[in-house]
Amino acid sequence: MAQDAQSPAEKSGVVAGRVGVVGLGLIGGSIARALSRAGREVYALDLDEDIERFAAIETTAGTLTDELVGTCELVVLACYPEGCVDWLHAHADLVSAHAIVIDTGGVKRSVCEPCFEIARAAGITFLGCHPMAGTQFSGYAHSRADMFEGAPLVVCPPPEVRGVTCLALVDRLEGLLAPCGFGRLTVTTPERHDEVIAYTSQLAHVVSSAYVKSPTLARHEGFSAGSYKDLTRVARLNPQMWCELFLDDADNLASEIGTLVGALNRYKEALEARDAERLTELLAEGDRLKRSDEREDEV
Amino acid sequence: MAQDAQSPAEKSGVVAGRVGVVGLGLIGGSIARALSRAGREVYALDLDEDIERFAAIETTAGTLTDELVGTCELVVLACYPEGCVDWLHAHADLVSAHAIVIDTGGVKRSVCEPCFEIARAAGITFLGCHPMAGTQFSGYAHSRADMFEGAPLVVCPPPEVRGVTCLALVDRLEGLLAPCGFGRLTVTTPERHDEVIAYTSQLAHVVSSAYVKSPTLARHEGFSAGSYKDLTRVARLNPQMWCELFLDDADNLASEIGTLVGALNRYKEALEARDAERLTELLAEGDRLKRSDEREDEV
């Protein structure tokens, strides 16, 4: 009976609850903290050895060596998109067939397509993930165990995994990530993810970044109410990271910018024509859309 | 000695601390609540007689009748821009020369120019004011005594009032409004106010309103993080009120929209050209501008 308590995963060398984290930035650091706090054994890797050492003192159990990769039940790739693909390419053969590998990036097509392929060839499981949290700050120093409390998590399983198998897999992932406290979990395709994320996240960052380019910025002291602060909050960002995300979703993002520019020009035309009726209608339409959007959020 | 305690204002019929509020919407209602809570005697007027009666039960001392206008030390015009000018035009002769009349609107040229003129002719004092607070909700029902705690207040004195006289006048106004708890007070011209406010407030509302027009809005469930929520918060607005504000500042606002559209198109072009260097530079420039903007806020 004692031997039977060992699961097939454990027989294969996987240690239950052991996690590998690749990349100790804001997201990887926060996942490492949340899982460690819950008693999971977390091993981590970072390009910056000082951060890796520092994390090993306060958060992780140590460095994720090649020898340890095969013992992890969950591997979290939390580096830049290209870095995730490169790591998986180099380490896929070391990962246990009983493990789940996820990434945490803000675009999914560019990571999921190659990673699904690598995982298929190696007979391992990869799920694209996008934890929708973060701050305008980046790096391990800003990571927090409670970063994901109530945050949405978007999951993209490989297309060949469907129905009950898919549900079971997502369920297992939810269990492994439970200490993070994610709110709503949405399962979708990489294509749909990238289409929607271009609108809800990337466009917001472009608009904030463009908003602060007005010459009036230098003269607004004493005039900034809440709306200005909200509109410009995410102008503060990591340019390299966002550039990579944007380029991996350039088609969708360029199209959303075009749609927004078109909408803005309609307000501008109504203003220039001093057309009160048209302008009120444009504003009323926005008000209606926002109200129905909020109602859906409440469901 | 007892008679000498009566100030020239009181001799003229003004009752110290008595306030008249014209318009019991979100702003007028909040000012009435803050001043009443501090023990000031507030009389108010509203187009909606039910609201006026309701306010008289819970907030105000009663209706601001024509007989009472001359006894007010402070008169707050908190209706739409046109309504403010109309009220002052009809009641200027009733206002005491010892009183201060202010408006509270979001545009200043269209109100200050006629009101300065009316006040000059009647020998009374009018100051344009813009309390930079509010919510996406409107109406007396949403008004709160603490609405202005720490909020910026912008004041536009008539151009002929300068130097020490101006300082003394603004100082007196600050005293009268002290129970509202305003934060920073900025003195400027109606022209500069309207230029800056087109950027910090009106443009923010146009962008939010335009943002929710994307067809992707209907499909974003489960994908909305903080940046989306911030960008679209003020899409929910009072279309008639904002239309009037926008049209009174149409020149500045149309110009800011044009500037923003120009900036957005530069991101779009860099994306379409897959130009990583240019895109990173655009984002880094936005990040730098936002950081220096935050530093100025801290000063």
Side-chain angles (χ1 to χ4, degrees), chain B residues 53-94:
Chain B
R53 268 195 296 270
F54 184 68
I57 294 166
E58 61 158 30
T59 308
T60 70
T63 296
L64 178 68
T65 59
D66 283 358
E67 290 69 40
L68 284 168
V69 169
T71 68
C72 293
E73 197 180 357
L74 173 68
V75 178
V76 180
L77 307 179
C79 34
Y80 280 19
E82 223 178 307
C84 293
V85 178
D86 290 349
W87 188 92
L88 194 64
H89 192 261
H91 298 83
D93 292 339
L94 301 177

Side-chain angles (χ1 to χ4, degrees), chain A residues 130 132-133 136 152-154 184 186 188 192-240 242-243 246-247 249-251 253-261 263-268 270-272 274-277 279-294 296-297 299, chain B residues 130 132-133 136 152-154 184 186 188 192-240 242-243 246-247 249-251 253-261 263-268 270-272 274-277 279-294 296-297 299:
Chain A
H130 182 188
M132 297 202 51
Q136 59 271 56
L153 175 67
V154 181
R184 180 177 191 163
T186 302
T188 189
R192 182 161 180 274
H193 169 277
D194 286 2
E195 209 182 298
V196 180
I197 217 67
Y199 175 60
T200 58
S201 169
Q202 296 173 354
L203 181 63
H205 287 78
V206 168
V207 171
S208 260
S209 184
Y211 203 108
V212 296
K213 306 280 171 92
S214 166
T216 314
L217 178 80
R219 290 175 288 142
H220 81 87
E221 237 188 308
F223 288 83
S224 35
S227 56
Y228 168 79
K229 285 177 188 154
D230 279 358
L231 263 286
T232 58
R233 182 178 61 86
V234 292
R236 188 163 168 176
L237 47 69
N238 176 334
Q240 285 74 28
W242 283 96
C243 176
F246 286 178
L247 288 178
D249 204 12
D251 50 350
L253 181 54
S255 156
E256 288 293 346
I257 298 175
T259 302
L260 179 64
V261 163
L264 287 170
N265 280 330
R266 286 193 286 282
Y267 291 79
K268 186 165 178 274
L271 277 165
E272 283 164 346
R274 306 291 190 272
D275 185 339
E277 197 180 327
L279 191 56
T280 306
E281 179 40 42
L282 286 168
L283 291 168
E285 187 193 8
D287 180 63
R288 271 196 307 275
L289 287 164
K290 179 63 184 166
R291 280 171 196 268
S292 70
D293 182 50
E294 280 169 1
E296 274 166 28
D297 260 16
V299 174
Chain B
H130 183 187
M132 298 201 52
Q136 59 271 57
L153 176 66
V154 182
R184 180 175 188 162
T186 302
T188 188
R192 182 159 181 275
H193 170 277
D194 286 3
E195 209 182 300
V196 180
I197 217 67
Y199 175 62
T200 58
S201 170
Q202 297 174 353
L203 181 64
H205 287 78
V206 168
V207 171
S208 259
S209 185
Y211 202 108
V212 296
K213 306 281 171 92
S214 165
T216 314
L217 179 79
R219 291 176 287 141
H220 81 88
E221 237 188 307
F223 289 83
S224 35
S227 56
Y228 168 77
K229 285 179 188 152
D230 280 358
L231 263 286
T232 59
R233 183 177 62 85
V234 293
R236 188 163 171 176
L237 46 69
N238 176 335
Q240 285 74 30
W242 283 97
C243 177
F246 286 179
L247 288 178
D249 204 12
D251 49 352
L253 181 54
S255 155
E256 288 293 346
I257 298 175
T259 302
L260 180 64
V261 164
L264 287 170
N265 280 330
R266 284 193 288 280
Y267 291 78
K268 186 165 179 275
L271 277 165
E272 284 164 344
R274 305 292 189 274
D275 185 340
E277 197 182 327
L279 191 55
T280 307
E281 177 40 42
L282 286 169
L283 291 167
E285 187 194 6
D287 179 62
R288 270 197 308 274
L289 287 164
K290 179 62 183 166
R291 281 171 197 267
S292 70
D293 182 48
E294 280 169 1
E296 274 165 28
D297 260 16
V299 174

Side-chain angles (χ1 to χ4, degrees), chain B residues 88-155:
Chain B
L88 194 64
H89 192 261
H91 298 83
D93 292 339
L94 301 177
V95 174
S96 166
H98 297 280
I100 295 181
V101 183
I102 63 169
D103 81 313
T104 61
V107 285
K108 299 268 67 81
R109 284 175 301 176
S110 59
V111 173
C112 287
E113 281 158 25
C115 287
F116 286 158
E117 195 63 42
I118 296 168
R120 253 174 234 128
I124 61 172
T125 303
F126 175 86
L127 298 177
C129 284
H130 183 187
M132 298 201 52
T135 69
Q136 59 271 57
F137 307 107
S138 53
Y140 177 76
H142 294 283
S143 65
R144 302 191 322 259
D146 64 354
M147 177 73 72
F148 307 108
E149 289 294 338
L153 176 66
V154 182
V155 179

